[in-house]
Amino acid sequence: MSELSAEETAAAIEAGRVLFAQECEFVMGVRTEADLPPAELPEVAFAGRSNVGKSSLLNALTNRRTLARTSNTPGRTREVNFFRLGGSGAKRLMLVDLPGYGYARAGKEEIERWNKLIEDYLRGRGNLRRVCLLIDARRGIGDPDRKVMELLDQAAVVYQVVLTKVDKEKAGALARIEQMAAAEIARHGAAYPEILATSAAKKSGLEELRAAVATLAEQT
């Protein structure tokens, strides 16, 4: 959005507000590739390490407290969860909450199953318009994130880095994290160039993220 005029930015933010003010309903949770729903709407997936704050961010984006389950226990999301956003006669799309990768309090076989499900979904979903790759602002991009970035590059799936929990980091340190992330994504062919900084707790950056997602929705 940094390249848009003031009028275009305002219009994009309003489109995002309208979209996320609509009904958002849970469709289904999927544990295997065979159970994935039909690819009928554009999809925007949210991926990130365990405990990066995916559920909190989804709840904040949709102005709901319990759309996605939140927990202090890493690895709580154990399915690919689909949420339909938008009603009849308006823009619509599917929000997809992916299981967290990396550390989780689960058995080895269960973690391997999650990772395979994530990979199968990311590689084979033709209607997947973008992946929001959530990065904890206190950590920056790590090796587990790089593996997912490489997978998305190979699958030619566009992804956008979204920093989370920016309220927990000082301005100077956050600026360095953003600079390092920008330098890293510049080396990846499928990476969207704009990095978004968000805080679910402080509600910051949500307008910009809603606007970015709204550009990918289908007009019915």
Side-chain angles (χ1 to χ4, degrees), residues 120-140:
D120 289 342
Y121 171 79
L122 294 177
R123 282 198 179 104
R125 202 68 174 166
N127 60 326
L128 179 57
R129 296 293 181 263
R130 185 174 300 175
V131 173
C132 292
L133 184 61
L134 275 52
I135 304 294
D136 190 322
R138 299 168 298 178
R139 294 182 175 181

Side-chain angles (χ1 to χ4, degrees), residues 10 12 20 26 33 36 52 73 76 85 87-88 93 119 143 146-147 155 183 197 201 207:
F20 279 86
F26 175 72
E33 183 183 16
L36 289 171
V52 75
T73 303
R76 183 65 179 268
L85 177 63
S88 177
L93 81 162
E119 291 180 7
D143 288 340
R146 294 184 181 96
K147 291 180 180 178
E207 286 187 342

Side-chain angles (χ1 to χ4, degrees), residues 26-69:
F26 175 72
V27 176
M28 64 188 305
V30 170
R31 294 176 66 87
T32 66
E33 183 183 16
D35 294 328
L36 289 171
E40 297 175 341
L41 290 175
E43 292 177 0
V44 176
F46 291 76
R49 296 181 65 172
S50 296
N51 216 28
V52 75
K54 284 191 291 84
S55 296
S56 295
L57 184 61
L58 279 168
N59 287 335
L61 280 173
T62 56
N63 294 301
R64 289 161 176 82
R65 293 184 179 180
T66 58
L67 180 74
R69 297 178 66 184

